[in-house]
Amino acid sequence: MKRKRTRAAAAGILAAAALLPLGGCAKEEPEASGKNYIGVAYYNQSDTFLNELLDSFRSQLKDMQGGDMETVVMVRDAAGSQRTQDDQVKELISAGCDILCVNLVDRADPSEIIDLARENEVPIIFFNREPVAEDLMQWDGLYYVGAEAEQSGYMQGELAADLIETDSQVDRNRDGKIQYVVLEGEVGHQDAIIRTETVVEALTDRGIELEKLSYQIANWNRAQAENRMEQLIGQYGSQIELVLANNDDMALGALDAYKNMNYTEAAYPVVFGIDGTKAGLEAVMDSEIAGTVYNDKEGQAGAMARIALALLRGEGLEDVEFQSERCVYLPYEKVTKGNVSEYLMRSR
Ligand code: BGC
Ligand code: CA
């Protein structure tokens, strides 16, 4: 890989950068050369799914790199600001990172980051928050690792349909329709928009009659979901028969609301999530969440590590299974109480 700056220059910048407060990452600052630096920039460090994905990335990278190579991972949290992330990417490139893994804050606004990476010839592996195809086409040093949002929503709908068809208790008021609410992720996030659409599509395809009571945006966040759910419960009370959450954290937030408002368990509606985070899987195990859809963080982290190492070594990229050009999409999987233990073991 050709680089415009020398290692020595990078080390100088690193020494200076090490003096700056960098949000808890200071101990990761490189001080010697001979190692390979991977910069990771992600949209928000309060995101449960991404924290679990990044833990898996670090450990798989270590397992895969072999004795001939040493990688150092430097992580930056954008705290929800694209401008902050642009600056962090600049800083990571100046610090001598050979590869970047970027989880965009605003997936529609990667142009500054792409320009910086291309000028400095630092490849980017985007992950989880998918840039639009035209942006990914801008340079052949750009990759994406994620999953197909359609599939996750559709599977969530199938899980809900399976339960509704077999358990007549779900339709509490016995009117032949399922009254439901949706807890949505972020506005503009591919996984939020598409999951909400396809979950309803799957239920309708199965001939289930639905009545949408309302929806609330809770930005993937458990506390926000709890708060929004309290509002929904205040408005609709026991009319709510089904809660469809775009992710597990929001499904758990919905349950928190019922607990807080002192509902008895028998009065809870059925709740479905997506992700299979540790807490989500445990809630499925405890029958608090009726089911979830596994967002394969180990598979995604593994693909990121494989691409990063291949780029660093300058070989092995042909072993990565790209579905479309430079993009890897890992399949989702349905999780119920019947198979949850398998997933609890997988996400060590
Ligand atoms: C996950 C969410 C996560 C979001 C972050 C989604 O794919 O399901 O849990 O908050 O990505 O971008
Ligand atoms: Ca009903």
Side-chain angles (χ1 to χ4, degrees):
M1 194 180 310
K2 260 193 295 152
R3 300 298 307 278
K4 294 192 174 161
R5 279 165 296 97
T6 61
R7 284 276 179 196
I13 296 164
L14 285 170
L19 302 173
L20 300 169
L22 290 168
C25 296
K27 63 177 182 309
E28 300 165 22
E29 298 308 323
E31 63 310 271
S33 51
K35 297 175 182 172
N36 292 287
Y37 297 102
I38 300 177
V40 176
Y42 75 136
Y43 89 105
N44 203 322
Q45 69 172 5
S46 69
D47 192 284
T48 308
F49 172 75
L50 285 168
N51 286 329
E52 292 183 5
L53 186 152
L54 289 179
D55 283 347
S56 176
F57 174 68
R58 282 195 201 86
S59 80
Q60 292 194 64
L61 192 70
K62 227 181 238 158
D63 292 347
M64 283 182 205
Q65 68 193 7
D68 60 322
M69 196 178 243
E70 192 180 346
T71 54
V72 179
V73 178
M74 297 162 68
V75 180
R76 296 293 178 267
D77 159 33
S81 156
Q82 188 57 60
R83 187 172 294 186
T84 301
Q85 187 169 66
D86 294 349
D87 291 343
Q88 289 172 335
V89 164
K90 216 174 285 173
E91 179 249 322
L92 286 167
I93 291 177
S94 311
C97 284
D98 307 288
I99 308 280
L100 293 174
C101 295
V102 178
N103 173 247
L104 288 163
V105 177
D106 180 351
R107 69 187 192 94
D109 190 15
S111 35
E112 185 157 342
I113 288 178
I114 293 176
D115 290 347
L116 276 165
R118 184 168 38 191
E119 276 162 31
N120 291 281
E121 295 178 48
V122 178
I124 303 183
I125 304 163
F126 289 106
F127 63 103
N128 168 264
R129 300 162 75 92
E130 187 170 4
V132 294
E134 296 84 80
D135 285 326
L136 277 176
M137 301 293 271
Q138 283 189 43
W139 178 43
D140 63 6
L142 306 176
Y143 299 82
Y144 177 68
V145 175
E148 303 268 17
E150 287 81 8
Q151 197 188 24
S152 53
Y154 205 87
M155 284 183 169
Q156 188 184 47
E158 288 180 326
L159 284 173
D162 290 345
L163 184 69
I164 293 163
E165 284 168 0
T166 51
D167 181 356
S168 59
Q169 307 283 332
V170 179
D171 180 12
R172 292 178 168 274
N173 66 354
R174 308 238 180 268
D175 68 346
K177 292 184 221 159
I178 302 299
Q179 279 72 25
Y180 74 99
V181 298
V182 179
L183 290 172
E184 280 205 5
E186 283 166 275
V187 175
H189 192 305
Q190 82 278 351
D191 289 341
I193 308 161
I194 299 172
R195 285 175 184 168
T196 300
E197 270 170 25
T198 53
V199 66
V200 172
E201 199 182 303
L203 282 155
T204 315
D205 285 353
R206 290 275 284 268
I208 288 166
E209 268 204 68
L210 295 170
E211 186 186 336
K212 182 174 188 170
L213 296 176
S214 188
Y215 77 98
Q216 288 284 335
I217 291 168
N219 297 307
W220 309 118
N221 181 281
R222 181 167 179 164
Q224 279 186 43
E226 176 185 342
N227 178 285
R228 303 289 181 275
M229 195 69 216
E230 281 180 7
Q231 291 170 25
L232 290 169
I233 297 170
Q235 207 171 341
Y236 299 100
S238 56
Q239 282 180 67
I240 303 169
E241 296 174 336
L242 171 66
V243 178
L244 299 168
N246 280 172
N247 77 346
D248 283 355
D249 260 13
M250 295 189 293
L252 293 164
L255 286 167
D256 294 340
Y258 280 97
K259 286 179 192 164
N260 266 351
M261 294 174 90
N262 293 323
Y263 272 68
T264 57
E265 245 172 77
Y268 294 1
V270 287
V271 179
F272 286 90
I274 292 178
D275 273 346
T277 56
K278 199 164 176 294
L281 293 175
E282 274 159 10
V284 173
M285 186 62 126
D286 297 342
S287 306
E288 291 203 308
I289 292 182
T292 187
V293 178
Y294 203 70
N295 192 355
D296 185 3
K297 53 187 177 294
E298 291 78 20
Q300 291 163 38
M304 289 161 62
R306 216 162 291 124
I307 296 170
L309 289 171
L311 290 168
L312 289 172
R313 293 197 170 109
E315 60 178 35
L317 214 50
E318 60 289 350
D319 300 335
V320 179
E321 282 182 38
F322 292 106
Q323 270 86 38
S324 56
E325 220 183 324
R326 302 194 308 275
C327 294
V328 180
Y329 298 95
L330 273 296
Y332 283 98
E333 289 156 62
K334 292 184 212 171
V335 184
T336 59
K337 194 162 172 126
N339 65 354
V340 67
S341 53
E342 196 185 302
Y343 291 89
L344 274 166
M345 261 162 9
R346 195 194 294 188
S347 58
R348 300 151 284 156

